[in-house]
Amino acid sequence: MRDEHSRVSVKPRVQIEKPTHTRFFYGWVIVAVAALLGFLGTGFYSYSRGIFLTELADELANGSRFWIAAGFSAASITGAIVAPFIGHLLDRFSPRIVILTGVCVVATSYVLLASTANLWQYFMVVGIGMGFGMTCMGGLAWHRTVVSWFDHWRGRAIALAVMGASIAGVMMPPLVEALLESIGWRLSYTVFAAVTFFALVPAVWLYMKDRPSDIDEVRDGHKYVDSNPEEQIRIDEDTREWRWQDMLRARPFWAIGLVFGAMGCVYSATMLHLFGHLTDIGVTRSYAAWVLSATALFAAVGKPIVGWLADAVGARVTIWLALVCQGGALVLFAQADSLSMAFAAGCLYGFGYSGMSPLRTFALSTAMGSVSFGAANGIIRFVELPLVLMASPLAGFIYDVTGSYRLAFLILAGLMGVALLGPLFMPAGGARERHRRKQSN
């Protein structure tokens, strides 16, 4: 009896032992779903419009590339108007529902775009439908979700998530060009609609989880947090809930908006007009599509490097590197007179803009924290909007007047040079900044 009693008495000790967390961290599934959203969302929307530009201009705008570019600028206006409200919803409610709404709107817009008969219908579909839908299903929503799941690995997680868009950039231009040649732009948009809806709705509905607490997890995962207690420090900015008035008084908020507004306007103008510029200087359409793919390939290769740099040394140095690469590439595009020079410029530009999306999220979440990230990400669109609006139409106007894009690329390169001042007003973030704070405490 004594032996039996002693065996029973040890059971409570076993029950109170600390559990060991060995399961796979679900945050990486969130990264995979985000990459799929970027692959199909950005892939179809951004990497096809330059290839379709000539056909859209000839059929809907009497050959004017300015008016087709203005339609995408109208989409940016719509996105900026609704972004603060969507950002507010993302902070307080379900990003998954917002993303699903955007997927349905974008798929419907592709169907309507396939039947567009004139310019005003094009403006309605692209300017309103695409502007609203892409804001709901794009980076504003899934970046918010990735930020909720990651802290110490945030730079790398965001970089891997946005690789989906870069992989799309490698694959989409040749595929879209072949699709355009075989079935035309209208049926191509119908294909976009079907793939967008039937691929993304099941993936988002089944696998996207809004926050770690939904499945009894924590940011970075229980296993990492339990194994690295010395890395867990409290950062006041990360838990602060910002009012919009306070955001507008913060210098980092304006610096981030202006720097990435400049990057965004260069990106939108380049993605829309680069294909036309390459064919104008004598590059065949098929080789021009391959230049776009090379650009996206180097963007994909660069994203893990940028993510690691951001986590290691912070935002400032990494942003400076991205700006210098983009500015140099734009000068090369302006001077390009051969296929080899165009490829070199494309590869350099791809590496430079590989940091645009992950560094924007990294810098903004470092400066404004994760609690109000959605609202900050929405409101900052108004800071970026003037720059994004003017770039594509201005490049189209310069082409209409001069018959060349060379001056437009040089102006954009100068804008990258001015943007080099911005990182001076941003917090660095990253491991180096975290260690500095630990030592000061």
Side-chain angles (χ1 to χ4, degrees), residues 31-43 47 142 158-172 296 300 303:
V31 169
V33 176
L36 180 62
L37 284 163
F39 179 80
L40 294 179
T42 303
Y47 288 104
W142 58 258
I158 297 167
L160 290 173
V162 298
M163 277 188 68
S166 294
I167 294 172
V170 176
M171 299 175 60
M172 288 296 180
K303 281 181 169 61

Side-chain angles (χ1 to χ4, degrees), residues 104-365:
C104 294
V105 172
V106 167
T108 302
S109 296
Y110 280 132
V111 172
L112 296 175
L113 190 56
S115 59
T116 296
N118 51 49
L119 193 59
W120 76 264
Q121 291 179 356
Y122 165 81
F123 267 91
M124 292 292 290
V125 173
V126 174
I128 298 177
M130 284 295 185
F132 176 77
M134 288 302 298
T135 304
C136 289
M137 69 169 279
L140 178 66
W142 58 258
H143 279 231
R144 178 68 183 91
T145 308
V146 172
V147 167
S148 296
W149 280 84
F150 290 90
D151 182 15
H152 292 78
W153 296 338
R154 185 175 296 172
R156 280 161 282 190
I158 297 167
L160 290 173
V162 298
M163 277 188 68
S166 294
I167 294 172
V170 176
M171 299 175 60
M172 288 296 180
L175 291 176
V176 171
E177 173 64 18
L179 200 63
L180 177 64
E181 291 291 333
S182 60
I183 63 176
W185 66 271
R186 294 186 184 276
L187 284 178
S188 296
Y189 278 131
T190 303
V191 172
F192 290 179
V195 174
T196 297
F197 184 84
F198 290 107
L200 292 181
V201 168
V204 174
W205 180 258
L206 294 174
Y207 299 110
M208 181 64 79
K209 307 296 181 185
D210 293 328
R211 294 168 184 87
S213 57
D214 293 348
I215 57 171
D216 193 29
E217 260 289 9
V218 296
R219 282 200 297 184
D220 296 327
H222 284 295
K223 183 178 179 180
Y224 178 83
V225 171
D226 294 344
S227 302
N228 299 273
E230 73 281 356
E231 293 292 331
Q232 311 307 313
I233 64 171
R234 177 183 174 86
I235 299 177
D236 292 336
E237 293 92 332
D238 193 59
T239 57
R240 176 179 175 182
E241 186 167 354
W242 289 75
R243 300 182 306 160
W244 67 268
Q245 298 94 329
D246 297 329
M247 293 181 193
L248 296 179
R249 296 190 190 103
R251 286 195 305 177
F253 180 85
W254 286 95
I256 293 166
L258 293 174
V259 167
F260 289 97
M263 283 194 195
C265 85
V266 168
Y267 173 80
S268 63
T270 302
M271 289 298 100
L272 182 60
H273 296 290
L274 179 58
F275 188 86
H277 173 64
L278 295 175
T279 56
D280 289 343
I281 65 174
V283 178
T284 65
R285 291 179 64 93
S286 59
Y287 277 123
W290 281 111
V291 171
L292 294 183
S293 292
T295 302
L297 175 62
F298 272 75
V301 171
K303 281 181 169 61
I305 299 173
V306 166
W308 176 81
L309 281 174
D311 282 337
V313 302
R316 290 178 190 155
V317 173
T318 319
I319 292 171
W320 277 324
L321 176 63
L323 289 169
V324 169
C325 289
Q326 290 179 68
L330 291 165
V331 173
L332 288 177
F333 277 134
Q335 303 300 321
D337 56 5
S338 65
L339 178 61
S340 60
M341 196 169 181
F343 265 110
C347 293
L348 182 60
Y349 181 72
F351 182 80
Y353 89 75
S354 69
M356 181 177 66
S357 184
L359 286 176
R360 180 183 180 276
T361 297
F362 184 89
L364 189 61
S365 61

Side-chain angles (χ1 to χ4, degrees), residues 277 334 394-395 398-399 402 404-414:
H277 173 64
L394 177 61
I398 290 173
Y399 176 85
T402 67
S404 171
Y405 287 112
R406 295 185 187 275
L407 177 60
F409 282 116
L410 290 175
I411 292 173
L412 295 175

